[in-house]
Each structure stands twice: as C-alpha cells, then as structure tokens.
Amino acid sequence: SLRELFGDRRRRGRVIAGVLLAAVGLATFWGVTVAGQDLARSAAERDGRTAAEAGRDAKFAYTVWQATGGGVGLVAFGPLCHAIGRKRAFILMHLLGLAIVPITCFVPQSYTQLLFLLPFYGAFTLAIHAGYAVYFPELFPANVRALGTSICFNGGRIVAAVMVPLAGYVKKIQPLPQALTLLSLTFLLGLVVIAFLPETKDRPLPE
C-alpha cells in the first residue's frame, strides 16, 4: 500500500530519489537525445544539401546511426551494472552523456563527420534507461516492490514533462549546439541524485 511505502522514511527517500533519477533520463531524452536529428539536418544543410535532402539525411542519421548506438548502449548497460555496480554504471553514463553532447555539437565540421559521433551520442545519452529496470526493483522490499518501481518510473515521467517546453524555449533563444549543451547539464542532477541511493550489487533483495 502507499502507507507501507511512504510511511517508512528510508523507503520514502528511495522513492523520491528514484523519481528524480528517472526524470533525468526522460528529460535528457526529450531535451537532448531526440535532437540528434536536428543536428544532422543542420550539418546536412551546411554541406549544401537542399531542405528535402537534409531532411532525408537527418532521418537516416537518427533512425539508423544514432538509434543503433542507442540500442548498443541499452544492451550494454545491464552487463556494465553487473561488472562495476549499479551506482558506478549510472555515474559513468551520466558523465559520458555530459561529455558527448558538446563534443557532438561542436567538433564535427560536416555531415559525414557527425555520422561517426552519432552512435556514441545515442549510446551515452540513452543507456541509463535500461538501468532503471535493473535498479529500481532492488530498492524496495517484496511487499511494495512493484508499487515503488512503478512510482519511480511514472513519477519520473511527470517531473520530466517540464523539459519539453523548457527545451523548446532554450532552443529558441540559443543556437542549437549551445542549447543542447546547456540542456545536457541535466545529467549533473543525475550525479547528485545517485549519491543518495544505495549500491545493490551482490546484495540480497530487501524483504
């Protein structure tokens, strides 16, 4: 019940931190990850492609190159959690996400160069989503495990909803590379939140 979940101080703290951790992933997805297509379109237009050609190439870059990298990141996050622990895996990917965004925004000088970075952009900004399914159930005892996990997932969606209009506003007042770099600072919040959560690797599930 909700009383069992929120009536315990430790469980309540884990719910709040879990919601915020999920919100970071969802906010960066809507604010940063999906903008890979916009980066590709801008790069194609700088290379002299027409609007129609740039749109076609941007879709290819996003749905093939970036999505493939994102899929690899998602698949790899589980083994990474097993190898170095849940908290270290989240810390590493938040740091990599924070780093890859400005690199992808400012280093490539052509559409072709951008294609080489987009798989890493996809992997490092998306991989943490696979970790929630690994980590959240391990935070709660059996009687409230499903409830705690679902609140973390869905509460994160509600909190992250603010990123949609915020990202639109930032992209309106700043050039796209600067806007995405600013929005990627959301990954720093994830580093703060994970500090308040326990390591669960190789520990029995709470009962």
Side-chain angles (χ1 to χ4, degrees):
S1 69
L2 289 171
R3 180 177 298 177
E4 288 179 296
L5 182 63
F6 288 98
D8 181 273
R9 180 179 179 182
R10 185 175 65 172
R11 296 175 192 173
R12 184 168 61 247
R14 291 183 178 186
V15 169
I16 294 171
V19 166
L20 292 175
L21 190 64
V24 168
L26 292 159
T28 52
F29 175 79
W30 291 113
V32 175
T33 305
V34 297
Q37 187 167 347
D38 299 325
L39 287 172
R41 182 181 294 105
S42 296
E45 290 175 346
R46 288 198 305 270
D47 284 354
R49 292 170 173 81
T50 65
E53 292 171 338
R56 180 198 62 204
D57 291 345
K59 180 180 287 189
F60 171 78
Y62 180 74
T63 60
V64 177
W65 284 90
Q66 183 177 326
T68 298
V72 171
L74 290 167
V75 171
F77 198 83
L80 184 66
C81 284
H82 180 71
I84 66 175
R86 283 49 163 163
K87 294 186 66 169
R88 288 180 179 177
F90 273 108
I91 290 169
L92 176 61
M93 281 301 169
H94 281 84
L95 288 173
L96 290 174
L98 187 65
I100 195 62
V101 174
I103 291 172
T104 306
C105 286
F106 292 105
V107 171
Q109 299 302 306
S110 68
Y111 172 82
T112 302
Q113 292 178 8
L114 179 67
L115 288 181
F116 284 103
L117 282 173
L118 280 180
F120 298 97
Y121 185 89
F124 296 159
T125 62
L126 197 60
I128 53 177
H129 290 261
Y132 305 140
V134 175
Y135 192 43
F136 290 159
E138 298 177 339
L139 295 176
F140 306 103
N143 62 319
V144 291
R145 184 167 295 141
L147 179 62
T149 301
S150 65
I151 289 177
C152 289
F153 273 119
N154 296 296
R157 289 187 175 95
I158 295 171
V159 174
V162 70
M163 177 56 80
V164 177
L166 176 62
Y169 174 74
V170 173
K171 292 172 186 177
K172 183 178 180 180
I173 64 173
Q174 292 285 340
L176 185 61
Q178 288 87 337
L180 294 182
T181 300
L182 287 172
L183 293 169
S184 72
L185 296 177
T186 309
F187 284 114
L188 290 175
L189 176 59
L191 295 174
V192 174
V193 171
I194 199 67
F196 291 91
L197 286 165
E199 178 56 67
T200 58
K201 181 180 182 293
D202 296 330
R203 297 182 183 179
L205 290 173
E207 296 296 342

